[in-house]
Amino acid sequence: SAVISQKPSRDICQRGTSLTIQCQVDSQVTMMFWYRQQPGQSLTLIATANQGSEATYESGFVIDKFPISRPNLTFSTLTVSNMSPEDSSIYLCSVEGVGVRLEGVPDTQYFGPGTRLTVL
Amino acid sequence: EDQVTQSPEALRLQEGESSSLNCSYTVSGLRGLFWYRQDPGKGPEFLFTLYSAGEEKEKERLKATLTKKESFLHITAPKPEDSATYLCAVLPKGGATNKLIFGTGTLLAVQP
């Protein structure tokens, strides 16, 4: 299984500022995923980050608000820009398991511990 | 639209009282269904992956089953340490990436 760490684990930020969240994996992975988990809601995919290419954003999420970097195969960052209280959430990064079945279906996705963000 | 619904939203059991959690899904085609456990303040912890109807997997007191429309997570003789939120996610066919679609989870509380 992959071991994923995130920094910071939590933060309290002021409206209008930006926060960069780091995700480090203990092995090289092709794709990394960034999710948001708002209070009482399910996990929602923000974007998929491949090393060496632009991140792919899901509907409702834009690069100007959530810029992502993927400088190598073990590291990624997600920035939450110009924050508002609606951005208060848990942000999680994840990677696919190394075991892959037929048709490219991963055996799982592993998640980091999350970053709990509160915007005042 | 692909959708995942989990029930009940919350479940309270006495220690040793077996029960089941439900995950119903509507997808154009299913590539995989995943169960996770999430403790407060932590990221989801992987439990099982199921790929096709009729498949079953077990781990300690947990057993996951899959049909064409739903999955069940059976908890046999639960202990207080099984208390957590259990999340179900599906990986639908189509799409450029392996995007998981999550349900909102079932909050399980097991009382001693």
Side-chain angles (χ1 to χ4, degrees):
Chain A
S1 64
V3 178
I4 305 171
S5 60
Q6 287 186 232
K7 291 181 180 180
S9 59
R10 58 176 62 225
D11 207 341
I12 300 174
C13 301
Q14 295 298 318
R15 180 195 300 260
T17 63
S18 297
L19 176 71
T20 296
I21 302 168
Q22 299 178 7
C23 178
Q24 180 77 50
V25 188
D26 68 342
S27 57
Q28 294 185 339
V29 294
T30 303
M31 286 194 289
M32 298 178 76
F33 304 85
W34 285 99
Y35 285 84
R36 181 173 73 180
Q37 187 175 27
Q38 294 182 305
Q41 298 188 24
S42 61
L43 279 75
T44 302
L45 182 65
I46 297 171
T48 302
N50 281 342
Q51 193 271 335
S53 63
E54 292 289 327
T56 302
Y57 289 83
E58 296 298 311
S59 175
F61 298 96
V62 295
I63 188 171
D64 290 345
K65 176 68 175 178
F66 298 101
I68 289 171
S69 77
R70 183 77 201 276
N72 57 53
L73 291 173
T74 64
F75 187 79
S76 178
T77 68
L78 170 75
T79 299
V80 186
S81 303
N82 189 25
M83 289 184 286
S84 66
E86 292 71 37
D87 294 319
S88 296
S89 185
I90 299 173
Y91 292 86
L92 297 144
C93 70
S94 75
V95 303
E96 292 179 339
V98 296
V100 179
R101 274 194 46 156
L102 295 176
E103 300 177 9
V105 180
D107 59 347
T108 190
Q109 281 190 15
Y110 296 102
F111 284 82
T115 295
R116 182 180 295 272
L117 171 62
T118 301
V119 184
L120 303 178
Chain B
E1 180 183 352
D2 299 325
Q3 196 168 2
V4 178
T5 303
Q6 291 188 246
S7 62
E9 290 186 6
L11 180 63
R12 181 171 294 180
L13 300 174
Q14 293 295 316
E15 184 172 2
E17 179 186 2
S18 301
S19 187
S20 296
L21 312 182
N22 177 264
C23 170
S24 63
Y25 59 90
T26 304
V27 294
S28 53
L30 182 71
R31 297 169 67 199
L33 185 143
F34 302 81
W35 281 99
Y36 290 88
R37 168 191 172 129
Q38 187 173 26
D39 293 301
K42 296 187 177 181
E45 174 190 346
F46 169 72
L47 293 175
F48 304 108
T49 305
L50 301 168
Y51 296 97
S52 57
E55 191 173 358
E56 299 181 351
K57 289 192 177 175
E58 288 187 68
K59 179 181 179 181
E60 297 181 353
R61 296 177 292 281
L62 301 177
K63 178 180 178 181
T65 62
L66 180 64
T67 72
K68 290 186 177 180
K69 294 185 176 181
E70 57 191 351
S71 176
F72 291 94
L73 184 65
H74 308 277
I75 303 177
T76 302
K79 298 182 179 181
E81 53 262 42
D82 294 322
S83 298
T85 296
Y86 290 85
L87 300 170
C88 169
V90 298
L91 182 62
K93 288 184 178 179
T97 62
N98 289 332
K99 170 187 175 181
L100 292 181
I101 298 174
F102 280 84
T104 53
T106 293
L107 176 61
L108 174 65
V110 181
Q111 296 181 317

